[in-house]
Amino acid sequence: MSGIRLQGIKKRFGRVETIHGIDLEIGEGEFVVFVGPSGCGKSTLLRLIAGLDAVTEGVLEIGGRKVNDIAPAARGVAMVFQSYALYPHMTVYENMAFGLKLAKADKAAVDAKVREAARVLELDTLLDRKPAQLSGGQRQRVAIGRAITRDPGVFLFDEPLSNLDAGLRGQMRGEIARLHARLGATMVYVTHDQTEAMTLADRIVVLRDGRVEQVGTPLELYHRPANRFVAGFIGAPPMNFLAADALDLATEGTVEIGVRPEDLREVSSGQFKGEITLVEELGEAHLIHLETLAGPIVAKLPGAATRARGSEIHLDAARERLHRFDAEGNAIFQASAS
């Protein structure tokens, strides 16, 4: 296992700076997820760690060793790409063994590593098949297996599940989590999907425009987002934001109130009231959209809907579940905040 340290990392392409002085430490054996909207710099940052792009400024260390000028193959990392990057004319076994053979590893050692990786990933019965004969999930497991055979100190995942359908994504999330528990390796994972980030990460790094907005555990980011951006990005459906001056909830410096849809409950008389504009049935719950004097709200309520579009509803939330933001969008933490 190897830890990773980034000190003042910047990346410029020509005159355009895309990564703006990032400082970050990733511990040995930690599972860290980079998350953020398209263009935030998460994949660029991963490529800098892998050595596929060169650092413009700053120091990058892996396992305590400065690697700014070290070739990708010598960094002790293995990368799993979104596109699988399998050789179509090779079998599963040959794809998984290819990197080791290029490194002129002993034939018996290659065979042992490939078969052990296949066992871990339940690919034992598929070693003679070619990629075209595999499902998307099986191909992704082969790509992960190829990385495992290199016995790296760090695994890097660049949106590995984005090509899979919803069912397979859920299955593969579980497999990657179990793999991390089994190997205990350092893993850095890039995704735009905050559900993947919440379910997989020991810590999440939220990025925007090449800068780190917040680093923390999934529940830290969910319950105590540092600013409006993180509050709106983490959580599905996203947090509601309402004008504080339209509510009897404003405190000094507060210009906006945030409340998560799942923290709202229907009441006979509450702080938030309005006309229902849309009802979405989800089975175990339903989403109610309504217009209020403070702005639009989405509430996630348990069970089937008992209210129809066009009717009035009153909602409220516990005061400790409300989030307050100042004029710059920074969180104002209250002593009673959860």
Side-chain angles (χ1 to χ4, degrees):
M1 294 186 294
S2 299
I4 302 170
R5 187 179 185 189
L6 292 80
Q7 297 175 277
I9 294 296
K10 294 184 180 181
K11 177 60 183 177
R12 286 189 291 272
F13 294 95
R15 296 183 178 180
V16 179
E17 186 169 285
T18 57
I19 301 295
H20 310 287
I22 287 180
D23 297 306
L24 179 67
E25 289 200 28
I26 299 171
E28 289 188 7
E30 193 173 19
F31 197 130
V32 169
V33 176
F34 295 166
V35 70
S38 296
C40 70
K42 54 188 183 294
S43 289
T44 299
L45 199 56
L46 195 76
R47 290 176 62 86
L48 293 178
I49 295 171
L52 300 178
D53 288 327
V55 170
T56 303
E57 188 176 324
V59 176
L60 173 61
E61 296 179 357
I62 298 176
R65 177 181 63 150
K66 182 179 177 182
V67 297
N68 290 50
D69 301 318
I70 303 296
R75 292 190 178 197
V77 305
M79 193 160 176
V80 179
F81 296 91
Q82 175 182 346
S83 62
Y84 314 143
L86 302 178
Y87 295 102
H89 63 287
M90 293 184 181
T91 64
V92 168
Y93 183 100
E94 290 167 339
N95 267 283
M96 291 172 65
F98 186 69
L100 294 173
K101 289 182 177 178
L102 278 183
K104 302 188 184 303
D106 177 76
K107 186 176 180 180
V110 170
D111 185 71
K113 287 188 174 183
V114 169
R115 295 192 183 279
E116 174 59 16
R119 184 192 65 77
V120 168
L121 294 166
E122 298 181 358
L123 294 170
D124 316 59
T125 61
L126 305 176
L127 290 175
D128 292 329
R129 295 191 188 182
K130 293 185 177 179
Q133 299 171 299
L134 305 176
S135 68
Q138 290 168 338
R139 292 179 196 178
Q140 193 56 275
R141 291 210 303 273
V142 175
I144 294 171
R146 182 175 53 194
I148 290 174
T149 61
R150 294 185 56 193
D151 194 23
V154 175
F155 285 85
L156 307 176
F157 295 87
D158 190 9
E159 300 200 54
L161 309 185
S162 60
N163 289 336
L164 306 180
D165 61 37
L168 275 176
R169 282 202 301 273
Q171 177 185 334
M172 285 300 300
R173 278 201 304 270
E175 292 188 9
I176 290 172
R178 286 189 291 272
L179 181 66
H180 178 250
R182 185 177 299 173
L183 299 179
T186 305
M187 293 187 176
V188 184
Y189 188 104
V190 162
T191 182
H192 64 276
D193 185 333
Q194 56 93 20
T195 300
E196 284 182 22
M198 292 289 288
T199 55
L200 286 173
D202 293 324
R203 286 191 302 152
I204 297 172
V205 179
V206 182
L207 294 156
R208 177 171 63 160
D209 298 332
R211 294 180 173 86
V212 174
E213 291 289 319
Q214 189 173 357
V215 181
T217 68
L219 290 183
E220 285 172 349
L221 269 58
Y222 178 85
H223 289 300
R224 292 179 67 83
N227 54 47
R228 191 187 191 280
F229 176 80
V230 176
F233 195 85
I234 298 295
M239 183 180 287
N240 299 292
F241 297 101
L242 305 163
D245 58 9
L247 300 166
D248 186 25
L249 295 168
T251 56
E252 185 177 353
T254 301
V255 300
E256 210 167 24
I257 297 293
V259 59
R260 295 200 180 279
E262 55 271 28
D263 287 333
L264 289 162
R265 293 293 178 265
E266 184 177 358
V267 293
S268 57
S269 179
Q271 185 67 54
F272 313 107
K273 64 179 179 178
E275 180 179 307
I276 296 175
T277 59
L278 176 67
V279 177
E280 297 181 74
E281 289 286 6
L282 303 178
E284 84 290 351
H286 58 282
L287 301 181
I288 288 183
H289 300 246
L290 64 151
E291 288 293 336
T292 75
L293 292 176
I297 284 183
V298 177
K300 185 175 183 179
L301 304 179
T306 58
R307 301 275 184 162
R309 179 180 176 182
S311 62
E312 186 177 82
I313 188 173
H314 289 247
L315 301 170
D316 215 337
R319 294 299 174 97
E320 65 268 18
R321 294 295 184 185
L322 299 179
H323 301 260
R324 294 169 171 81
F325 303 95
D326 64 19
E328 285 71 47
N330 296 315
I332 301 172
F333 293 115
Q334 305 292 307
S336 60
S338 170

